[in-house]
Each structure stands twice: as C-alpha cells, then as structure tokens.
Amino acid sequence: LKQTKFLASKDKIDFGEICYPDSRKDSLIVSNHSFYDTDMSILLSANFDNAFYIVSPSSISSISQCDSNAIVIKFAPPGNGPYSAKLSIVLSSKDGKTTFTKDIDLLGQGNKSTARPETNLLVLDSIQCGVVTSSLLKWIADDNNSQVKNYSELLDDKGQISFETKTPFYVFKTGTSTEFKFMLSDTGWVTQKYRFYLLPCNLDTVITVRAYGISPIITVPDSIHFDSFCNQKIIDTIPIKNTGNATLIVSKSVIVSNPTEVSILGWTSGKSEPVSIPIGKSDSIIVQFTPNSLTPVSYLLRLDNNDKTTVRGNKNPVNILLVGKKQSEEILLKNPIIDFGKVCINTKKDTL
C-alpha cells in the first residue's frame, strides 16, 4: 500500500475587493490519497472582524478513502479596509499514525460607500418667485474616501431648481456642504428629484427637493374701450385683482406719454398709492376719458407692482390698453319737407 498522503488545493484564498453589504464565496479542495478514512477538523483564527465564515462542512467531518472534500468560505466585509484571517485544517488518518496540518491565509478588501445626505427630503415652504434663492444640504461620511460621482435629474421642473455643486466631490467625516438654487416662475409647489451616484461601489441615493413659490399675481383686463357721444366725458373703473398667495402692491399707476385725453382720478377704495390688495381681493382704478377730436386714440395704462411670477410673461410692470373714440354728433330733421301752407301778406308762420 502507498503511504498515506493528504493534499490541499490552495495555500491562500484572496477574495479581492467586495463592496459592502455584498459577500463572496470561494473554496479549496482537500484530498485523501490513502486507503484509510480520515477525520478532518477546520477552524478559523485571527478573524477579528468576523469578516470570514465557514459555509461547509461543519467544523468536524471526515473524508472517505481515496476521496476529497470541498471547504467553502464566505467573505462578507463589514466596512472599508483590508481583512485577513487564517483557516487551519487538521487531518487524522484512521491508520492511527498519520496526521496533516495546513494553514490557509484568507485575504479580502472591503469597500463601503458611507457618503449620505443628512436628509433625503429638502423642503423650502416659502420662496419668493422671481428671486434667486439658495439652500445648502450637508453630506456626511464615516471616512474621507467616499465620493459623489455625478447625478441626474429625474423630473422636469422647467429649470426652476438646480444643483450647483460641481461633481465629483469628496464627502468627509466633518461634512461636505452642497448647494441648490431656486428660481420659481409661479406660485405653488415645485418638485425635483435627484439621483446621486456614489463611489466606491457605484451605489446611489435619491434626494427629493420641494419648494413653495410665494408671489402676488396681478390680474387685469387686456384693454378698455371708451366711446364718447355728444362730446361727453367718460369715467370708468378698471378692476385690479390679486389671484396670488401674497399681498399685491401697486406702487405706481401712470398713463404713458401723459396725454390730455385720459387721466387717472384715483382708486375706488380711496387709497393713495402704493395701494395694497390682499390675497383674493380686488380694487379698481378710476380713469377719465375726455375726447379732443374724432380721431381714435389709444394709450397704455402702466401699473408698477410686485408680481414676481414669469410663467404668464413679465407682469411688472403690467400694461392695459386704453382705446378712446369720440362719436360725431348726428342732427336729424323731424320733417324733411316744410310746408308753410297759405300765409297772408304781412303775417308770419313758423314750423319744423
């Protein structure tokens, strides 16, 4: 009979780099080259971070004569950094005299992206429309090796929210601040979602950014028409309504070019400018038209105000077209034919 002989297929197992929380398995083959069965015991040592596990077989097992057995090891790094341990294999032949001891080095590198935002929901519940506003979001990490590689926008917000920090950037233990900018074109909520891609390990996280736009909205008629008969003066009111979510202030009203035919008499509320109009309320400006000729005229009534929205166009200032026309006086004869009948000499008779 040949001498009892045992062989292990590897001297070490190097698992390479693995990203947390992933894991990886590897194995080695232990062979029993004899006609005797053998007992096998396996043990992990110097496994200080519990990064390595014996999957199979159990710590005590056996290998039949002229057979082999696989030892399966799993590497599951708990974080960043290098990890190592030692796998000890002890074989005892049933011949009663042959033993075999083999130490296998276990190596692996753990990677973990610890970068994370302090919050995944950034909410600004009061932002003035039409005004550039900034807000900072802090990122933190458990080490100084994590990065934010790049990002993508997930929603179409018409360019009202933007991420201003250049990528890639490192996230440090002490924290790294990033900047969002807001330029809202209308009142109400605007939402954007960002997917940020992290290194190492190509992980990602989604941040939702919401902002609530605040502004008055000035609502006025596009034009007003005046028709004057018998050279009369026309006095009319033009409603100015606030359909926004902040107080509307009309700081100044003026007829462009300061014509003599049209003049502003004041406001129906009796207020002096600047005139404040609360949310959902209205006031009216009083305008007088005094025609000078039969030629139609048109002028612009300009209102300076604090409407900062732009989604419906620039409303500060807002212009209202005033169109005036003097109608010609029409003379009608009651009787187109005058018949004086018989009139005696030296007498008078009037009729129409």
Side-chain angles (χ1 to χ4, degrees), residues 12-16 52 75 82-85 104-109:
K12 72 174 182 178
I13 299 177
D14 190 343
F15 289 88
F52 300 91
F75 174 49
Y83 295 90
S84 63
I104 307 297
D105 292 325
L106 304 179
L107 305 172
Q109 175 73 34

Side-chain angles (χ1 to χ4, degrees), residues 13 29 44 64 156 179 204 224 291 315:
I13 299 177
I29 304 298
L44 282 175
S64 300
D156 181 12
E179 182 183 14
D204 65 78
I224 296 293
K315 294 295 184 180

Side-chain angles (χ1 to χ4, degrees), residues 112-117 139-142 146-148 171 198-199 205:
K112 181 180 180 181
S113 179
T114 63
R116 58 198 182 275
W139 291 69
I140 54 178
D142 300 333
S146 297
Q147 295 183 61
V148 175
V171 180
L198 312 177
L199 290 176
T205 187

Side-chain angles (χ1 to χ4, degrees), residues 200-227:
C201 300
N202 291 318
L203 300 177
D204 65 78
T205 187
V206 174
I207 297 176
T208 300
V209 182
R210 303 193 71 204
Y212 188 79
I214 299 293
S215 176
I217 298 176
I218 188 168
T219 303
V220 298
D222 294 329
S223 61
I224 296 293
H225 292 258
F226 302 94
D227 288 315

Side-chain angles (χ1 to χ4, degrees), residues 166-198:
K166 292 183 178 180
T167 55
F169 60 87
Y170 279 92
V171 180
F172 302 107
K173 284 184 177 181
T174 55
T176 299
S177 293
T178 56
E179 182 183 14
F180 291 90
K181 280 192 177 180
F182 304 82
M183 181 68 169
L184 305 189
S185 62
D186 200 5
T187 58
W189 286 106
V190 178
T191 301
Q192 180 58 273
K193 290 186 176 183
Y194 294 88
R195 186 181 301 278
F196 289 91
Y197 301 93
L198 312 177

